[in-house]
Amino acid sequence: MTTLSSSVKPKATPSLRKRLRLDALGNWIFLLPGLFFFFGYMVYPILRVLWMSFTDYRYLSREPAQWVGLQNYVNAFADPLVYDGLSRAAQFTLMFLPGTIILPLLLAVLVDRVEHRTIATIYRVILLIPAVIPGPMVFVLWKWLYNFQIGPINYILVEVLHIFTPQTAPQWLGGTSLTLPAVAIFEVWWGLGYHTMFFLAGLAAIPKELYEAARIDGANEWKLLWHVTIPRLRPILAVLVVLRFGSAMAVIDEYLIFGGFNRASPTYTWTVYMYDLAFKIGDWLQGYAAAIGWIGAFSMMFVVAGLLYIFRPQDG
Amino acid sequence: MTTTTQMNSHANDHRRRRRMGVIIRHVIINAFMLVILVPLAWVLLLSVKSIPDAYSGTLWPEVFDFSHYSFVLQKIDTLPRNLFNSVYVTAATVVITTVCAVLAGYALVHLDVPGQKYVVFLLVASLYFPVRVVSLISIFEIQRTLGLINTTSGLILPYVTLNLAISILIMRSIFEQVPHELIDAARIDGCGPWKTLWTVGVPLITNGLVVVIIVNFVTAWGEYLLAATLTNDQAVRTLPVVLAGAHGGMGQWAWPRIAAVYVIAITPGIVAFGFAQKLFFQGLMEGALKA
């Protein structure tokens, strides 16, 4: 507004311009409530944790925290559990990410072609049901589905299909090598509908004439998918890959609910290690935990930058 | 003649193949729908099984037993309390976050706010950073300083931020669909920014409001990490923490009873979504997904 009025009327009276400037500052009131929470419970805590990571900070200590420079980081780089933690998180991400992108993409392509309006609506409603179930509730549900005693998955494998006996039945969430894939499966389940909706919104924006033209040129369905659909969905793909990479690397609730604090378990990732050090181990080494948190975050940012580069907008 | 019959049979062939394609497509889609629905059907069935049925593992109950619902609400001391805690924390979080998001989204699109570029940049950047995990240690410290550890109300403050950035960005993209001319016209008529927002803006953004409310409802209703870290006593805790800690045994926490608690816990979200479904989809398509 300021620039507009001054360019139209180059000789605006100073008092008017001043008033507009004051208005603009007054408009900040609209942002204040949101920014109060944003800075108070997001920006400040992150910076505070960064500061802690350079100190020997402990909640319970009466002494003020001492600045220790990079000591926590030096210790962390010599700590095999930090590497294990990061590598476990990365393994999980590799198991989870392809499924949670490719399956919804294929499903969206199929649902997008459904012409019957009522049926299409029913599909969409079912797709979004898991998305309105909170994450931790999903984890609790699957903890039971995988359960040894009452879980239907092992019941079907043992009693119905007779693939296993009760003695050999798989221990899904018991911290075995099956645990991370088992977690990845239900994470894909949870995101299936929501991600499909994402892609459906993208597909709705592709002009149908593009397909007609390509079909007349003799392209088959796979070629259409590869050369018409996927390039058009590129921006949505980029957002989903980066966001899901971020959530997969930083998974913590699931691991706390299933795995607990067994350091040998594949669910003991850097996030659980950080939590364990900060809140569970008697020493309460918050300074060290803070450093591990930042190392995890920094490694993630490194990959995110790479992903954003790969998915950078391309001309033409 | 021969050519026409050939063409006819060719067309028939084509049509038949198309119909096969449609059938196969629906079969595949329905397989996915089953995968989504079966786990939920299982827990629903578990909640109405008799206790012996539940432990025998059979999938279809031999005896339907609906008494678990009344049992858990009457006989588990803290459960009504936990339910109330969840309702209270969720309602407060949803109201505060939605108000913050509407005000900020409106200001970022329709008002002249110096420095708004930086605000948007920070909001987007926060989506890519593992905020929840990294900030936890400091949030514990803040709550301890404020004396809010082990209080239910204390959870509301950090809960507001869980979806704040995405909510503001959603509202921003919804407000971008509101024509500037409408807002300007109201202002020329002498409405201040507040009145303009209330009388012109809000009626036009109801779809986006539904999206923001549902997204925040779902997160706050099911939040686990902060609730488990910042509270200790069963009576202060919210439903998800209690459920996650429940190990099926005998007595109070027999499996069908936990399943009944579970169904009580997930039903509000699904019902709310069912009612708001149409508005929700319109909101998603109008730009929530593009935010």
Side-chain angles (χ1 to χ4, degrees), chain A residues 124-196:
Chain A
R124 277 156 214 254
V125 170
I126 296 175
L127 282 173
L128 269 178
I129 288 177
V132 292
I133 302 177
M137 298 294 195
V138 171
F139 316 147
V140 170
L141 172 61
W142 282 81
K143 183 179 161 189
W144 300 342
L145 292 171
Y146 284 123
N147 182 280
F148 217 76
Q149 188 181 17
I150 55 139
I153 293 176
N154 273 1
Y155 176 80
I156 290 170
L157 290 177
V158 174
E159 305 286 331
V160 181
L161 299 174
H162 299 293
I163 300 174
F164 297 101
T165 65
Q167 283 75 38
T168 60
Q171 287 261 15
W172 296 102
L173 298 176
T176 63
S177 55
L178 284 173
T179 303
L180 289 183
V183 176
I185 286 173
F186 72 71
E187 294 279 338
V188 170
W189 180 85
W190 185 34
L192 182 62
Y194 188 59
H195 294 172
T196 305

Side-chain angles (χ1 to χ4, degrees), chain B residues 24 28 35-36 92 98 110-111 121 144 153 163 173 179 208 222 248-249 282:
Chain B
I24 291 172
I28 298 176
V35 168
I36 289 177
T98 308
H110 292 289
L111 297 178
F121 174 80
R144 213 169 67 111
S153 308
N163 275 319
S173 69
Q282 281 166 0

Side-chain angles (χ1 to χ4, degrees), chain B residues 71-83:
Chain B
F71 179 92
V72 294
L73 287 174
Q74 286 162 7
K75 298 281 167 62
I76 303 179
D77 329 322
T78 60
L79 197 72
R81 182 79 216 166
N82 301 134
L83 194 60

Side-chain angles (χ1 to χ4, degrees), chain A residues 24 41 80 90-91 93 117 137 179 182 194 205 209 214 254 275:
Chain A
Y41 278 91
Q91 285 167 29
T93 306
R117 289 197 60 180
M137 298 294 195
T179 303
Y194 188 59
E209 298 83 57
E254 296 86 315
Y275 191 93

Side-chain angles (χ1 to χ4, degrees), chain A residues 141-286:
Chain A
L141 172 61
W142 282 81
K143 183 179 161 189
W144 300 342
L145 292 171
Y146 284 123
N147 182 280
F148 217 76
Q149 188 181 17
I150 55 139
I153 293 176
N154 273 1
Y155 176 80
I156 290 170
L157 290 177
V158 174
E159 305 286 331
V160 181
L161 299 174
H162 299 293
I163 300 174
F164 297 101
T165 65
Q167 283 75 38
T168 60
Q171 287 261 15
W172 296 102
L173 298 176
T176 63
S177 55
L178 284 173
T179 303
L180 289 183
V183 176
I185 286 173
F186 72 71
E187 294 279 338
V188 170
W189 180 85
W190 185 34
L192 182 62
Y194 188 59
H195 294 172
T196 305
M197 292 306 296
F198 240 80
F199 285 126
L200 278 172
L203 289 172
I206 303 178
K208 294 282 175 266
E209 298 83 57
L210 272 179
Y211 291 104
E212 304 293 326
R215 275 206 195 93
I216 289 166
D217 289 346
N220 64 25
E221 295 299 318
W222 287 112
K223 276 199 172 147
L224 286 180
L225 179 67
W226 195 249
H227 293 290
V228 181
T229 311
I230 290 180
R232 291 266 166 166
L233 290 179
R234 202 182 150 91
I236 292 181
L237 267 173
V239 170
L240 268 188
V241 169
V242 174
L243 286 181
R244 284 305 149 253
F245 168 82
S247 54
M249 280 298 289
V251 162
I252 181 165
D253 305 61
E254 296 86 315
Y255 299 155
L256 292 179
I257 292 174
F258 305 138
F261 297 103
N262 171 10
R263 292 185 165 196
S265 162
T267 59
Y268 198 88
T269 61
W270 65 275
T271 54
V272 181
Y273 189 30
M274 184 206 86
Y275 191 93
D276 198 7
L277 286 171
F279 299 111
K280 281 280 162 358
I281 289 178
D283 295 338
W284 288 49
L285 296 167
Q286 278 83 24

Side-chain angles (χ1 to χ4, degrees), chain B residues 30-104:
Chain B
N30 280 301
F32 274 108
M33 298 298 143
L34 269 183
V35 168
I36 289 177
L37 291 176
V38 162
L40 298 169
W42 174 81
V43 77
L44 194 61
L45 280 177
L46 179 60
S47 75
V48 294
K49 276 179 192 168
S50 67
I51 290 178
D53 275 356
Y55 286 90
S56 72
T58 38
L59 298 179
W60 191 260
E62 281 172 30
V63 189
F64 283 90
D65 181 353
F66 294 92
S67 67
H68 305 304
Y69 286 90
S70 57
F71 179 92
V72 294
L73 287 174
Q74 286 162 7
K75 298 281 167 62
I76 303 179
D77 329 322
T78 60
L79 197 72
R81 182 79 216 166
N82 301 134
L83 194 60
F84 172 79
N85 290 345
S86 280
V87 171
Y88 163 59
V89 171
T90 306
T93 307
V94 168
V95 169
I96 297 174
T97 317
T98 308
V99 169
C100 289
V102 169
L103 291 179

Side-chain angles (χ1 to χ4, degrees), chain B residues 209-222:
Chain B
L209 270 181
V210 170
V211 175
V212 167
I213 289 173
I214 288 188
V215 166
N216 279 290
F217 169 84
V218 170
T219 319
W221 183 252

Side-chain angles (χ1 to χ4, degrees), chain B residues 105-142:
Chain B
Y106 171 69
L108 289 174
V109 177
H110 292 289
L111 297 178
D112 176 29
V113 185
Q116 53 179 268
K117 263 193 311 194
Y118 304 104
V119 174
V120 173
F121 174 80
L122 271 182
L123 292 174
V124 173
S126 78
L127 298 181
Y128 294 110
F129 192 87
V131 177
R132 228 163 51 92
V133 173
V134 176
S135 63
L136 192 62
I137 300 175
S138 168
I139 285 179
F140 185 91
E141 188 198 26
I142 296 174

